[in-house]
Amino acid sequence: MSDAADPLVLFMPSGRRGHFARGTLLIAAARSLGVHVESVCGGRGICGRCQVEVVEGAFAKHKIVSAADHLSPVAATEIRYAEKRILKPGRRLSCSATIEGDLVVDLPSDMAVNTAVVRKAVDTRVFPRDPAIRLLFVEVPEPDMHAPLGDLDRVFAALEADWGLARPTVEPSVLPLLQKTLRDGSWQVTCAVAHDREEDRPHLMAVYPGLKNEAYGIAVDIGSTTIALSLSSLLSGATIAATGAPNPQIRFGEDLMSRVSYVMMNPGGRGEMTRAVREAVQAMIDTVAAEANVSTGDIMDCVFVGNPVMHHLFLGIDPTELGQAPFALALSGALALPAASLDLTLHPAARAYMLPCIAGHVGADAAAATLSEGPHRQDETMLLVDVGTNAEIVLGNRERLLAASSPTGPAFEGAEISCGQRAAPGAIERVRIDPVTLEPRFKVIGIDIWSDDPGFPEAAAALGVTGICGSGIVEVVAEMFLAGIVTEDGVIDGGLAARSPRIVQSGRTFAYVLHETAQRTLTILQTDIRAIQLAKAALYAGIKLLIDKLTGPGRTVRIDRIALAGAFGSFIEPRYAMVLGLVPDCDLERCKAVGNAAGAGARMALLNRAYRREIEARVSGIEKIETALEPAFQEHFVAAMAFPNKHDAFPSLARVQALPNRDAAGMPLPGQGMSASGTPERGRRGGRAGRTA
């Protein structure tokens, strides 16, 4: 890498970036950042495994314009390769192309190795089944010259007699095939009927000869980073296949506002992102259908959830209004529409249902998580937090629910961290630091043993230790704080350099060396600590605003239960979340990761139409708090920059984890914390703490 005057290159979907001198081979730049680009031919342009694509457009967040001609002209090796093998339009061989300007480079999924691990596991809970689409078997009387009733009318009569179903509307494609279907089935047929709302007329989607007992639906959580999809039987309610994939929109921007900016600055940007996410969903549908040996033509119902920007882009709606106050949604209520209108190839008459959005930055995914975890069904006060690039927060109980979003940014997912990366094989995900020696040990995704266990060096040599993902970042910063390496104000204590070679000078500040090999050194910089402080302070400040609204400013409320949702939230150890001050104090036994709660809520809405009515009714009563407009946000934000917090006590945490500069009740000791202006007070060292195993 070179200096800041050189071209900036971003590699997607990992989010890694760096400045490189013009003329640098693209594959060399990628590897210097720990981005795995496969090449089995030694860079001779023969294997074609190092193919990449340049994403063109203006990227306001990074203040660059990426263009295909910012790579060197097509080389002779690429021309020879394309003559013998397939080199798709727009793709380049990174072993031949050199950097000539600013670039955003995408590693195509069919070329990527060490791809991101999608950690939104499907929820396997059993829900009462009452789907919006049912298969109804009927025996239809044969035609009678003395009762000249049409075939369709006799189907209607059979549906009403056997199933109490009033005369439905009919899918036009049913009509030309109906008579043949009845005769092929010897007057016994199965009717696929959609009936979501009781007040609406049912809809006859299809008629099959004889008995048909296969009908399926998909539930999809479209996250800004990952997409999770499950395939369920509408007859049994069982989930029979599930998959996940990175959201391809990452190449247009890591966070939501970057994607909104991309739409604003690039004509056709909205269409590009809509097409990318729809194609990704279709590919995932094809994957689960093949895995379960199911025809996509038997998938008749779909439920989708996502944050407001993802919601709008998937529907083909320009999200520009969500990028500025008053953050107006194009639509907030639930939506039912034909799946074909979303460019999905399923049953020709398949239906799609979108859960309602709560507010401008609290979307259908938060509504689905609320449906899944049910704070509105209990007396206890529950805090539900979906931690992502834009954290969504719900607080309350059956009496009152409040919701807000908080702009945490992508730091928790590895971006904006010097050695950060998304969760993938080779990423450090667990960290422990000895408080006496300051030596670390860690676990890596893809290796089952810890770094100090026998056999780890050999396993790491084969896989590689490439960076640190979100859960690892949280743990290493928390461990550095507990070991006294980082003060409560977030300053790496350079005075410890004399005690441990792990503490090194880095410019005007200090850094902590987590792992070092001949190929790569993973170091936690002061700027990394600041990125985590800013992210966690934004999240905690949003939570505090909801607490203020629930109880009144200055008063406290006992939070009986905390649910950490989402891919990242599911892999945070609750103890470390509290040590850093991501969430308020709570009994650790009642602070739990709940997995992909948004996906679970989507599956509930797929399998039981009553859940759709439940969340539609409940969303209208949720009080929405816009953090950007609340005067107290800045005050809460400044206090939350400290570890775990400048003012708030953590008595439940203190019972199981001694905290630096805190008494036995988890209260800040006098004179500790940040200055009244909110700037770090220099010259104090975070005290040592007792440790738990």
Side-chain angles (χ1 to χ4, degrees):
M1 284 189 289
S2 190
D3 59 44
D6 290 322
L8 177 65
V9 182
L10 288 84
F11 290 93
M12 297 301 177
S14 69
R16 293 186 179 179
R17 70 208 68 190
H19 290 274
F20 297 91
R22 286 176 170 80
T24 302
L25 275 173
L26 196 56
I27 194 170
R31 288 175 172 173
S32 73
L33 293 172
V35 176
H36 283 263
V37 179
E38 187 176 356
S39 176
V40 298
C41 67
R44 290 176 293 173
I46 299 172
C47 71
R49 297 299 304 167
C50 67
Q51 295 179 32
V52 297
E53 295 177 350
V54 174
V55 182
E56 297 192 278
F59 295 82
K61 178 180 177 180
H62 306 289
K63 300 179 181 178
I64 65 170
V65 174
S66 174
D69 61 7
H70 289 182
L71 282 176
S72 56
V74 175
T77 52
E78 295 174 282
I79 295 172
R80 286 196 300 270
Y81 178 86
E83 289 172 348
K84 297 178 180 179
R85 302 186 185 182
I86 297 175
L87 187 63
K88 294 180 180 179
R91 289 195 179 182
R92 300 291 304 275
L93 299 183
S94 61
C95 67
S96 300
T98 61
I99 298 165
E100 303 299 336
D102 295 330
L103 289 163
V104 176
V105 180
D106 186 37
L107 271 62
S109 59
D110 58 331
M111 293 291 146
V113 297
N114 281 35
T115 52
V117 177
V118 178
R119 313 215 281 186
K120 289 186 174 182
V122 65
D123 186 285
T124 56
R125 284 177 287 173
V126 176
F127 309 118
R129 191 184 64 83
D130 182 18
I133 293 175
R134 295 182 292 162
L135 296 184
L136 307 178
F137 178 79
V138 292
E139 295 186 10
V140 181
E142 294 187 38
D144 186 339
M145 291 183 63
H146 301 290
L149 198 62
D151 285 351
L152 180 61
D153 294 283
R154 280 181 288 105
V155 171
F156 288 166
L159 286 171
E160 185 165 11
D162 293 351
W163 298 97
L165 201 67
R167 186 181 182 90
T169 57
V170 182
E171 187 71 21
S173 60
V174 169
L175 298 176
L177 302 175
L178 178 63
Q179 290 192 310
K180 184 177 186 305
T181 301
L182 284 167
R183 285 152 182 81
D184 287 347
S186 299
W187 306 102
Q188 295 181 341
V189 293
T190 301
C191 299
V193 177
H195 195 193
D196 187 354
R197 299 174 184 272
E198 291 295 344
E199 62 270 22
D200 293 338
R201 289 177 65 186
H203 182 70
L204 183 60
M205 298 172 59
V207 180
Y208 300 93
L211 177 64
K212 181 177 178 61
N213 57 4
E214 289 184 292
Y216 302 94
I218 57 168
V220 189
D221 171 21
I222 304 174
S224 54
T225 303
T226 57
I227 305 172
L229 180 149
S230 62
L231 174 70
S232 297
S233 167
L234 297 180
L235 278 72
S236 68
T239 296
I240 57 176
T243 190
N247 188 329
Q249 293 177 347
I250 289 172
R251 65 179 181 263
F252 302 104
E254 292 167 341
D255 56 58
L256 298 177
M257 289 303 100
S258 296
R259 295 181 203 179
V260 173
S261 296
Y262 186 85
V263 171
M264 295 172 67
M265 299 182 66
N266 293 275
R270 193 278 306 156
E272 289 180 75
M273 283 194 272
T274 295
R275 183 166 54 255
V277 70
R278 290 182 179 179
E279 288 176 352
V281 170
Q282 182 65 57
M284 294 169 72
I285 292 170
D286 295 340
T287 296
V288 293
E291 178 185 329
N293 195 26
V294 165
S295 167
T296 55
D298 285 332
I299 299 175
M300 299 182 176
D301 204 6
C302 317
V303 173
F304 297 94
V305 300
N307 63 58
V309 174
M310 295 300 96
H311 171 280
H312 278 36
L313 285 172
F314 183 64
L315 289 174
I317 299 171
D318 189 327
T320 300
E321 292 298 326
L322 293 170
Q324 56 199 355
F327 313 111
L329 290 156
L331 70 155
S332 56
L335 180 67
L337 68 167
S341 68
L342 301 172
D343 300 327
L344 299 179
T345 304
L346 306 170
H347 186 281
R351 309 296 298 167
Y353 175 82
M354 307 285 293
L355 266 69
C357 290
I358 296 175
H361 285 295
V362 188
D365 53 349
T370 301
L371 177 63
S372 171
E373 299 309 306
H376 57 290
R377 304 186 198 108
Q378 55 191 292
D379 295 321
E380 294 181 324
T381 298
M382 176 182 172
L383 173 66
L384 172 60
V385 185
D386 191 335
V387 187
T389 54
N390 187 67
E392 294 172 311
I393 313 160
V394 178
L395 175 70
N397 50 39
R398 69 172 73 251
E399 298 297 327
R400 189 180 180 197
L401 279 183
L402 302 99
S405 67
S406 206
T408 53
F412 288 143
E413 294 175 340
E416 300 183 352
I417 302 297
S418 60
C419 58
Q421 68 168 85
R422 302 195 186 280
I428 294 173
E429 63 171 342
R430 292 280 178 259
V431 180
R432 301 291 183 268
I433 298 176
D434 188 296
V436 177
T437 66
L438 306 186
E439 285 297 303
R441 63 191 188 100
F442 52 83
K443 284 194 74 174
V444 172
I445 297 175
I447 302 177
D448 293 333
I449 55 179
W450 285 80
S451 60
D452 57 348
D453 289 332
F456 181 85
E458 293 78 11
L463 179 66
V465 180
T466 56
I468 184 166
C469 67
S471 61
I473 291 164
V474 166
E475 291 198 5
V476 73
V477 175
E479 285 279 321
M480 289 171 70
F481 169 59
L482 293 173
I485 299 169
V486 168
T487 71
E488 63 189 325
D489 301 327
V491 179
I492 298 177
D493 187 352
L496 295 176
R499 176 179 155 194
S500 170
R502 295 278 175 183
I503 312 299
V504 297
Q505 185 92 32
S506 177
R508 298 176 61 185
T509 60
F510 289 84
Y512 178 77
V513 178
L514 177 61
H515 180 61
E516 189 171 14
T517 65
Q519 293 76 32
R520 183 164 169 80
T521 299
L522 304 182
T523 305
I524 307 302
L525 305 178
Q526 183 64 66
T527 52
D528 298 333
I529 305 294
R530 281 288 177 264
I532 293 299
Q533 282 183 287
L534 292 168
K536 75 100 178 180
L539 173 56
Y540 196 93
I543 294 170
K544 286 288 289 184
L545 283 176
L546 294 190
I547 292 173
D548 287 349
K549 296 292 182 180
L550 191 66
T551 63
R555 299 179 62 188
T556 59
V557 62
R558 176 179 174 78
I559 296 178
D560 299 301
R561 180 185 166 207
I562 297 178
L564 299 171
F568 175 62
S570 296
F571 285 82
I572 305 172
E573 187 174 323
R575 177 166 64 95
Y576 288 118
M578 284 189 205
V579 165
L580 286 190
L582 270 73
V583 294
D585 188 64
C586 178
D587 182 348
L588 275 176
E589 292 298 314
R590 309 207 71 194
C591 180
K592 301 288 186 182
V594 295
N596 184 14
R603 195 164 70 89
M604 291 170 69
L606 173 70
L607 297 176
N608 194 319
R609 54 188 178 156
Y611 287 129
R612 303 183 184 187
R613 308 293 88 78
E614 177 183 336
I615 196 59
E616 289 168 6
R618 194 65 205 188
V619 160
S620 63
I622 296 177
E623 300 174 48
K624 297 86 173 176
I625 309 302
E626 181 51 64
T627 56
L629 304 179
E630 292 292 331
F633 182 85
Q634 187 63 27
E635 178 184 346
H636 290 317
F637 181 86
V638 169
M641 284 289 287
F643 296 132
N645 192 276
K646 179 183 176 183
H647 301 307
D648 291 354
F650 286 76
S652 298
L653 177 62
R655 285 196 291 270
V656 297
Q657 173 69 68
L659 296 170
N661 299 321
R662 296 261 165 164
D663 64 18
M667 287 292 294
L669 296 175
Q672 306 296 338
M674 303 177 81
S675 68
S677 66
T679 57
E681 295 177 1
R682 305 285 177 174
R684 293 192 316 278
R685 182 179 302 175
R688 307 292 186 266
R691 307 298 302 279
T692 60

